[in-house]
Amino acid sequence: MNHPLPPDTANEPLAPGQRLPESERKEFSPEALAEIQAIMAKFPDKLAATLPALHIAQREFGFVSLAAMKAVAKAIGIPEGHVFGVATFYTMYQKAPVGKFHLQVCTNISCALRGAAQLLEKVCEKTGVKPGQGPSADGLWSVEEVECLAGCGSGPCVQVNHDVYDEFVDEKKLLDVMEACKRGDYRPWAR
Amino acid sequence: MAAIRTKPDPQIYTFPGFGTDKFPNLMLRGAGDLDNWHLKVYEQKHEGYVAMKAALKLEPTAVVDEMKASGIRGRGGAGFPCGLKWSFMPKDTPERKFTRYLVCNGDEGEPGTFKDRAILEYNPHQLIEGMIIGGWAMQCKLGFVYIRGEFLWLIEKLEAALQQARDAGYLGKNILGTGWDYDILVYRGAGAYICGEETALLNSLEGRRGEPRVKPPFPAAKGAFGQPTTVNNVETLAAVPPILRMGGAEYAKLGTPKNTGTRIFGVSGHVKRPGLFELPLGTPMDFVVNELAGGSSTGRKLKAIIPGGASAPMFDEKDFDCPLDFDTVKARGSMAGSGGLICMDEDTCMVQATLRLIRFYAHESCGQCTPCREGCNWMEMVLYRIEHGEGRMEDLDLLASLTPRIGLRTLCPLGDAACGPMDSALQKFRHEFEHHITHKTCYATGSRLLSGVGAH
């Protein structure tokens, strides 16, 4: 297999007896609650706020923990089971803590044809973490292998939080990106 | 972060003749102009909102007729005539008034496809204008833009553009004195390819798991929030203002008689200039790949091209001259799909490439239908063992027998989409699979997919 790593294990179901990791935070901030209320008012049905509220929860709680899901259900006034079902369906909701910088490497066909496997390997080597295995010891990095970042024409691509970097050709560029992250020198949308 | 490119650039290529009558740029108009998301720039430089103002003076049915006259077919993948789709929306009667919605499908998740991103990034106002015209034509109450969650920077831009349109009085209450109230809301997805399927998208928009619904009822009868809804792709809606500006009949002269207009083709893989090219439908594939995208980037000749995003069956060399329109590509055994051309050179291992594609479908199956959920995983496992030198000759028959049991046996086309690459790879490159099994080595040595890690 061309792939340097075994298939991604980040989305595997919980083993019997295994519990989801707990977050430090248990409740939404008043600002986040107001944001959710505003979203609910815009849409014809309050249930539509589930996905946006989970995005807000991920931002506030760091990841979508059980407490975050419960807080979402409470804020919208919908069953907890529904929120759990939605949160576990979509891959962008992290159900476990990620690093301050979450590096997602696209390894799908267009990126793969242009060296995504080597890039993923390099990312793992430089960050010292493997996909789906939690953040690095210093809490800075986590790595995930993703299916497509819609950068097929300029791949291979890496997304750092919400900022896409593409056209990787050498190790230096990856190190530059990582250095810039450490300096806090990245676009506001990526925070 | 000056030294590092922080904003993705989808590499939109212009070429000799681009922007002329032969290769008009309709959807990519203003592409590359980073200021085009400002309302003023769009209005002053690119005839912005001219078509909308003209459309609002017409009867809604006249706008639908104009779309029918243009002959435009949906650019999302299925190629269904857009005007016809719009005409399916139920009209108000004295007994019953409907709340209609227009949904823009911006959940661009198919590998090889990256066209909608360029429109959202460089031409958001043209999409908004198209959605206002569509909303008027179908007398909708609200429009939704469902965007994939990864496009956060585009969402912020689109929200800003929408606010500019609201401030200008193009959205909101009593638009330009017509008495019609309409607004557009942005909805962010959360990473599920299946949400590109229209009914799964509607489920997701309602805040549920993105699982496709049983059809009928079709969205035109019962769509978002239980109301009549039309779902159109970003590119289709962005084509609406140019159609209204030039007139449906004039637009229909572009392309071929049954496949009118221009389309954005995204070329990726082993080519010198991967990127986006807006061309009239019916343009030959070898012209796009060899002339515009510069041909093979590796010096080796191309062996396979996927003509319409990851779900389209592959073409081998004998079909490289295929004109890129919905009907001809279908007649040659593939599908025009989303217009993403993925090019593979002769050193690409087709077993690896097929495994990579099938792994995508196994990962993205929503799990609702057993044939797709189990079948895609099964195909992945069998391909994985062939790739690892543990395959048996019977595996090829097994793979061939799996696809008819997945395709057309599921609620949505995701199962069929997985069968396309599988069947075509087995038909056209069977010798590579056999070589893997009998020789335990790769037929295409030095594969570009191969990283040099692991025995092969």
Side-chain angles (χ1 to χ4, degrees):
Chain A
M1 178 66 181
N2 65 309
H3 211 285
L5 298 162
D8 184 10
T9 52
N11 291 311
E12 281 197 354
L14 293 176
Q18 189 187 349
R19 305 295 294 260
L20 282 171
E22 285 184 18
S23 54
E24 285 170 22
R25 202 182 180 115
K26 302 287 174 208
E27 296 287 336
F28 274 123
S29 65
E31 298 81 40
L33 280 175
E35 214 178 317
I36 295 170
Q37 291 293 332
I39 293 166
M40 280 164 65
K42 278 203 287 186
F43 286 89
D45 183 3
K46 67 176 183 179
L47 200 69
T50 312
L51 268 74
L54 281 166
H55 281 301
I56 295 169
Q58 177 146 305
R59 194 186 68 205
E60 284 244 313
F61 289 67
F63 66 99
V64 181
S65 61
L66 268 181
M69 295 178 206
K70 285 179 181 174
V72 167
K74 195 174 152 199
I76 310 178
I78 51 174
E80 289 174 359
H82 172 81
V83 179
F84 184 82
V86 172
T88 49
F89 182 82
Y90 296 96
T91 52
M92 279 182 74
Y93 300 128
Q94 305 294 341
K95 269 71 75 179
V98 290
K100 189 177 172 196
F101 302 104
H102 186 52
L103 280 79
Q104 295 165 291
V105 185
C106 170
T107 57
N108 212 302
I109 187 81
S110 297
C111 285
L113 290 167
R114 297 178 81 87
Q118 294 95 314
L119 178 61
L120 178 64
E121 195 181 20
K122 226 180 272 176
V123 168
C124 293
E125 183 194 320
K126 296 296 163 198
T127 55
V129 280
K130 292 204 164 175
Q133 292 189 352
S136 56
D138 55 6
L140 272 185
W141 313 108
S142 55
V143 178
E144 188 183 354
E145 192 187 343
V146 291
E147 285 299 338
C148 186
L149 295 172
C152 315
S154 46
C157 295
V158 175
Q159 182 165 298
V160 185
N161 297 350
H162 294 293
D163 208 353
V164 178
Y165 301 86
D166 45 14
E167 287 186 340
F168 271 88
V169 281
D170 54 18
E171 199 172 307
K172 187 180 173 302
K173 192 165 172 188
L174 177 66
L175 290 174
D176 284 349
V177 170
M178 290 173 70
E179 280 304 314
C181 286
K182 280 191 203 163
R183 288 198 306 273
D185 190 9
Y186 49 90
R187 306 278 280 219
W189 65 62
R191 282 167 207 272
Chain B
M1 203 192 285
I4 300 161
R5 208 169 84 192
T6 51
K7 186 187 64 57
D9 184 359
Q11 306 175 59
I12 298 148
Y13 280 105
T14 53
F15 41 86
F18 186 62
T20 62
D21 288 347
K22 195 177 174 200
F23 300 120
N25 56 339
L26 304 177
M27 278 87 75
L28 288 182
R29 194 172 185 174
D33 181 357
L34 277 171
D35 293 328
N36 197 26
W37 69 276
H38 291 294
L39 185 84
K40 276 190 181 150
V41 177
Y42 178 61
E43 285 193 316
Q44 286 163 7
K45 277 198 196 165
H46 304 293
E47 297 178 78
Y49 293 101
V50 170
M52 180 204 77
K53 286 169 189 162
L56 291 181
K57 288 181 185 143
L58 297 172
E59 281 295 311
T61 47
V63 178
V64 177
D65 289 343
E66 204 64 38
M67 289 299 286
K68 279 186 183 166
S70 77
I72 184 172
R73 296 171 68 169
R75 302 296 196 237
F80 191 79
C82 179
L84 194 60
K85 197 181 211 179
W86 284 17
S87 70
F88 289 157
M89 288 287 267
K91 311 263 182 310
D92 284 337
T93 57
E95 301 83 47
R96 186 164 178 200
K97 298 248 182 289
F98 291 98
T99 307
R100 286 170 290 259
Y101 298 119
L102 173 63
V103 177
C104 168
N105 182 348
D107 190 68
E108 185 173 54
E110 179 127 319
T113 310
F114 50 108
K115 65 190 172 68
D116 295 344
R117 197 181 84 170
I119 294 171
L120 288 162
E121 179 148 28
Y122 293 108
N123 226 351
H125 277 294
Q126 191 163 319
L127 171 66
I128 296 169
E129 189 182 354
M131 286 192 72
I132 298 172
I133 296 170
W136 171 251
M138 291 174 275
Q139 288 293 293
C140 296
K141 188 189 174 206
L142 264 180
F144 300 99
V145 187
Y146 185 98
I147 302 190
R148 64 178 291 181
E150 287 88 343
F151 288 171
L152 196 57
W153 81 98
L154 297 178
I155 292 172
E156 292 188 358
K157 220 168 192 182
L158 186 64
E159 293 272 18
L162 281 168
Q163 194 51 49
Q164 291 168 2
R166 279 185 205 114
D167 293 343
Y170 301 155
L171 286 172
K173 300 253 176 227
N174 188 20
I175 297 171
L176 300 181
T178 52
W180 174 56
D181 303 339
Y182 178 71
D183 203 351
I184 298 172
L185 301 176
V186 180
Y187 200 83
R188 184 181 169 204
Y193 165 70
I194 189 60
C195 291
E197 198 276 336
E198 62 175 359
T199 55
L201 184 149
L202 295 175
N203 263 342
S204 187
L205 180 67
E206 290 178 8
R208 304 170 198 275
R209 298 161 71 97
E211 288 169 338
R213 299 174 181 173
V214 182
K215 289 194 273 192
F218 289 92
K222 195 178 174 195
F225 308 102
Q227 303 302 320
T229 305
T230 294
V231 184
N232 282 138
N233 181 252
V234 169
E235 195 183 343
T236 318
L237 288 165
V240 174
I243 290 172
L244 271 273
R245 272 202 305 266
M246 66 203 293
E250 195 62 27
Y251 183 85
K253 288 180 189 164
L254 295 165
T256 65
K258 287 191 175 169
N259 296 267
T260 57
T262 59
R263 177 159 214 209
I264 305 175
F265 295 101
V267 188
S268 61
H270 292 144
V271 284
K272 281 186 192 139
R273 289 190 295 276
L276 295 168
F277 303 90
E278 183 176 344
L279 296 160
L281 279 164
T283 307
M285 189 160 75
D286 51 8
F287 174 76
V288 183
V289 170
N290 293 322
E291 299 293 321
L292 302 180
S296 168
S297 58
T298 59
R300 293 177 287 269
K301 65 177 185 178
L302 298 174
K303 143 165 103 173
I305 300 179
I306 302 178
S311 51
M314 301 166 189
F315 274 159
D316 60 9
E317 214 172 359
K318 72 174 171 33
D319 285 316
F320 283 1
D321 59 338
C322 179
L324 290 168
D325 63 57
F326 292 102
D327 298 329
T328 319
V329 176
K330 194 175 175 198
R332 297 256 192 132
S334 186
M335 61 177 196
S338 57
L341 310 180
I342 306 167
C343 307
M344 296 175 240
D345 76 5
E346 60 183 351
D347 276 3
T348 307
C349 170
M350 296 316 285
V351 182
Q352 276 182 20
T354 314
L355 171 62
R356 191 64 199 82
L357 288 164
I358 298 300
R359 193 176 153 201
F360 171 73
Y361 291 103
H363 181 265
E364 296 296 335
S365 172
C366 78
Q368 203 180 186
C369 311
T370 313
C372 170
R373 182 185 65 237
E374 301 296 326
C376 292
N377 273 308
W378 198 0
M379 287 198 290
E380 187 198 350
M381 284 192 287
V382 175
L383 283 166
Y384 194 83
R385 77 168 174 243
I386 296 175
E387 170 62 20
H388 280 75
E390 290 163 17
R392 304 172 300 233
M393 235 13 158
E394 309 90 88
D395 284 344
L396 300 184
D397 296 332
L398 173 62
L399 287 171
S401 72
L402 276 175
T403 52
R405 296 172 189 186
I406 302 170
L408 302 175
R409 274 163 171 70
T410 49
L411 278 178
C412 83
L414 192 132
D416 312 352
C419 298
M422 188 68 254
D423 276 338
S424 60
L426 265 186
Q427 278 165 20
K428 289 168 180 159
F429 304 100
R430 192 181 172 96
H431 56 283
E432 295 204 19
F433 289 81
E434 288 174 354
H435 191 98
H436 260 266
I437 294 167
T438 51
H439 296 269
K440 313 283 181 208
T441 55
C442 181
Y443 179 84
T445 48
S447 163
R448 295 285 298 159
L449 271 169
L450 188 68
S451 66
V453 179
H456 204 72

